[in-house]
Amino acid sequence: MNSFSSLLQEHRLFQPPKQFSDNAEISSMDQYSSLLKEAQFDILEHWSKQAKRIHWFSSWNTILDWKHPKAQWFKEGTINASFNCLDIHLGTEYKNKKAIIWEREDGHKIELTYAELHNKVGRFASSLKSLGIRKGESVTIYMGMNPEAIIAMLACARIGIVHNVVFGGFSAEALRDRINDSSSVCVITQAITKRRGSDIPLYDAVFSALQSCPSIREVISKDLPKSDKQETPRFHDWDSLLTSHEVVCDPLHIESEHSLFYLYTSGSTGKPKGLVHTTGGYLTHVHYSFGLVFDPKPDDVYFCTADIGWITGHSYVVYGPLMHGMTILIYEGALNHPHPGKIWELIQYHKATILYTAPTAIRAFMSAGNQIPNAFDLSSLRLLGTVGEPINPEAWMWYHSIIGNERCPIVDTWWQTETGGIMIAPIPGAVPTKPGTATMPLPGILADIVDKSGNPTPSNVGGYLVIKHPWPGMARTIFGDDARYEAVYWSEFPPNDHHEGMYFTGDGARKDDDGYFWIMGRVDDVVNVSGHRLGTAEIESALVSHPSVAEAAVVAKPDEIKGNALIAFVTVMKDRPVDIQALKQELKDHVAKEIGAIAKPEDIRFTEGLPKTRSGKIMRRLLREIVSQGTISGDTTTLEDFSSLEKLRSSDEE
Ligand code: WTA
């Protein structure tokens, strides 16, 4: 894993490769600096200028209406997301350009042009209308990575229906919670999706969730397995709906601040929260950032490996690339199935030019050996991207040398579900990169690193990553819970005499002498496992819902491939005799059932007590030290029961 260490020097800069810069929209630091200056000079004018690059039916009077913590961008404007992704291309040579190339694990392939995608989106939007689903209502989409999922999203957007995509890896229970919290009136699903050769029965999960989802009126399934004769909800087959409805469905003129989607994500406390993203500002930010960071060209074949169930799937599989008229490549299945080099074969076969993936995937491919990618022709690639977690310099160097053949700039992009779009990333034709840093905030994004009192930290001193000015792609609230939105994001650094209030990201970071941002990871109880964001509180509450469990604490342990692995410490009910080995497996399965397989702890350690402060708080810091170092350092004087430490240690050694 460390074969590249010798190449890594502390401050090694990688200049943009000449062949890339020569064709780039922003190709020098001078150009970059003037964009930065322009944005600094008048940030609102900067965003207004970016908004004008997309299509509006009517313009706005107010660029930003900001009453901490409530932002409204371009509020009088009207716009349509599906129009900006599809209709704008129809009168151009992009009409017959491929919009989507889709491949499935069994080798089945489909291509859709922009005209064909427009046709299907129109028919599907007409179908939704005919079922009586109205503007402002929400629809849950629970599907694999396929064109239908994208069609469903765009059809909702066309008529002002708010989509709520739930990752297909979540369990029926997790799906039910998200349907109920969002009050969705319809679920769109498919009979099965395939992953690593296995069938994942999405429809069955929907069917089981529906036993307690009173708001659902309609269910639409691709390959509806059977026709149920219920009054409510009513079941519809995707294909029959599509063939029986009109192609033409005029896009509604949607208010800029109308919700485009809800997306549930994990936080440090409680249940996942439904972040609300609205239309005009979100599209502006995503269009702008996609243009800057990916420097799109007409012949690009753009391959983002994120699932539609995550924010990256929304902003940089669907909205960003389609607004820019890209040909997007999507794969339904695991990227190393049916063979370990499948991802590289996809790039070779479809001549992908941009690859955007997660560090965890890069590390997994790296550990599988160079002979696998080396067996494929990857010369079509011109730009590489990463997202979702810090990338370690070794993985960066491997990506740069083995996949990019030292020709392709790497854009390490930092952002969050809450930010809607990329916030910190290099502009590839201009900004020199360093392995392991997302470099600098995009022009218009006022990111900084501050201490507990909100004062900027000096170079190379760690602190909290904050955003000091609203930006158009920001989530507007947590669905149904404005108070929680304010408490989680805006109360850590409230307005005072020195600043107008800062957005708290939950990440720790430091800036180096060149002003580059190094993200150090979460400072709260959110854990990033294989690029998936999980809340330890959520997993703990799943564990304690098991009848044998009294208390549970979940912490992260650094992992070479996954970034982090989850370790659960559990105390069992005294009165229940347990078979420890059997219970371990049972608890892992229980978490998979309550949340999904991605949240399964890697290990469960049983203990007689958890270390707590005198006020009764579990000292997770100590648990983290036990799992990562096997020892405990630092202050333990607030511990209530020292003996619990001994027990944890011994259970650790077992
Ligand atoms: C982490 C994913 C380091 C970070 C788009 C953030 C990163 C969380 C990077 C958001 C990066 C994302 N370098 N860390 N380039 N990108 N993160 O909401 O901790 O799934 O707060 O959004 O991922 O995860 P989310």
Side-chain angles (χ1 to χ4, degrees), residues 277-303:
H277 280 285
T278 60
T279 312
Y282 171 80
L283 293 176
T284 299
H285 183 172
V286 166
H287 182 270
Y288 167 70
S289 53
F290 188 86
L292 278 185
V293 176
F294 296 102
D295 196 49
K297 301 285 178 237
D299 294 334
D300 274 326
V301 174
Y302 168 86
F303 185 18

Side-chain angles (χ1 to χ4, degrees), residues 560-595:
E560 273 215 342
I561 305 284
K562 298 190 237 172
N564 291 291
L566 297 167
I567 309 292
F569 290 90
V570 165
T571 62
V572 291
M573 294 289 189
K574 292 266 180 298
D575 54 343
R576 291 179 75 99
V578 288
D579 167 348
I580 292 291
Q581 281 314 320
L583 184 59
K584 255 191 191 185
Q585 194 51 49
E586 203 178 312
L587 291 181
K588 288 185 187 178
D589 294 344
H590 183 67
V591 172
K593 177 172 165 290
E594 291 293 311
I595 305 175

Side-chain angles (χ1 to χ4, degrees), residues 27 85 97 121 144 172 177 180 195 216 359 406 411 447 466 516 610 615 645:
S27 58
C85 290
K97 180 180 173 175
V121 168
D177 289 348
N180 287 337
R195 195 171 168 84
I216 296 294
E406 301 182 7
V411 286
V466 295
Y516 279 32
L610 292 169
S615 63
L645 268 187

Side-chain angles (χ1 to χ4, degrees), residues 265-266 275 310-312 316 356 359 386-391 411-419 421 424 436-438 465 503 505-508 518-523 526 528 531-533:
T265 191
S266 300
L275 289 158
W310 309 115
I311 190 71
T312 309
Y316 301 108
Y356 189 33
T386 80
V387 59
E389 45 181 329
I391 180 163
V411 286
D412 174 354
T413 61
W414 177 88
W415 58 295
Q416 309 177 297
T417 307
E418 291 84 346
T419 69
I424 306 180
T437 155
L465 179 62
Y503 167 81
T505 63
D507 277 353
W518 295 75
I519 312 296
M520 287 147 56
R522 302 290 306 191
V523 294
V526 171
N528 215 312
H532 295 146
R533 179 170 157 178

